[in-house]
Amino acid sequence: MATSLGTTPGGTTPTGLTPVGTTPESEKGAEFQEREKILSPDFLSVAQITEMLAEDVDGVQQKLQKFLNFKNLQTCLKEASLLDYYVSGFLWARGMDFSIIQHSKFMTLLDMLLHNLRTLHMSLEDSIKWLGEVMAEIGPSRSQKYEEWNTFDVKQANAIVDYLKISLFQHYKLYEFLFYSAREEILIGTEQVIEVVKPPGHPFPGPLEEGIAFGIYSAFIEPPPTVDTEMKTEINEKLQIQEEAFNARIEKLKKA
């Protein structure tokens, strides 16, 4: 009876037989380890995912902002866009009732797609091709050799592809612009005029130009002069009267 042969490194081994020095269990373990390397390391830890699953929409956003160390959401377009990308993906996955492991792989998938775009400058066509290769590893396989290894079933895998079509791939050019296009920093500010303290004797604070007229301010708002000021005025008036009297006497003496 003839036996078909399959090619192996260093020689040939009958198809269906295990190479010398290995067992079906060790072969299965090695293949499992290779599959575990897909989408590793995890983008979010199991503890972080567990925390977010207990939060509402605002709580998920706050947790992810903390985990991603985004501190400039109000002024940085890139941080705001990325946070929206991850929050939307996580909420969609939660709506799909994914398990914690499925959440982990899906969030890592989202992050890797952006990594390929940002770091490797991967085109849309290459990203779609890469996604197909990854889904073939973590999704349902044709051979179903080890069905328990499949992270997602057929329905879930199709749903993931459909979600990525309307989220990332449909707006791929915008994400390319986000990562590749240099943007000018626009400085927005206002000029402020600071008034210094006026010298003694001047009403403080002075009336504002855009406020009321100075006449109205002086007549109705400016505080009345103090007693000291009034006394000084009376003294000046008396001195002036005395000075006029002395001048009059001097004039009389000159005429005499």
Side-chain angles (χ1 to χ4, degrees), residues 2-4 15 17 28 32 73 75 93 97 106 121 130 144 194 208 211 213 217 219 232 253:
T3 304
S4 60
T15 304
L17 298 182
K28 179 179 179 181
F32 177 76
L73 291 178
T75 57
D97 291 327
F106 176 71
H121 292 229
W130 180 88
Q144 300 294 328
I194 301 177
L208 299 176
Y217 173 82
K232 289 180 180 180
L253 291 174

Side-chain angles (χ1 to χ4, degrees), residues 13-28:
T13 303
T15 304
L17 298 182
T18 302
V20 177
T22 62
T23 63
E25 289 74 14
S26 63
E27 182 181 5
K28 179 179 179 181

Side-chain angles (χ1 to χ4, degrees), residues 234-248:
E234 293 177 359
I235 293 173
N236 289 333
E237 290 179 354
K238 291 180 179 180
L239 290 174
Q240 185 176 359
I241 294 173
Q242 291 179 359
E243 183 179 358
E244 291 177 355
F246 284 128
N247 289 335

Side-chain angles (χ1 to χ4, degrees), residues 132-150:
E133 295 173 351
V134 171
M135 294 305 298
E137 295 294 334
I138 64 175
S141 58
R142 295 179 179 179
S143 64
Q144 300 294 328
K145 184 177 181 180
Y146 302 119
E147 187 174 356
E148 67 274 13
W149 291 354
N150 298 336

Side-chain angles (χ1 to χ4, degrees), residues 196-207:
V196 298
V197 178
K198 300 294 190 300
H202 191 281
F204 179 80

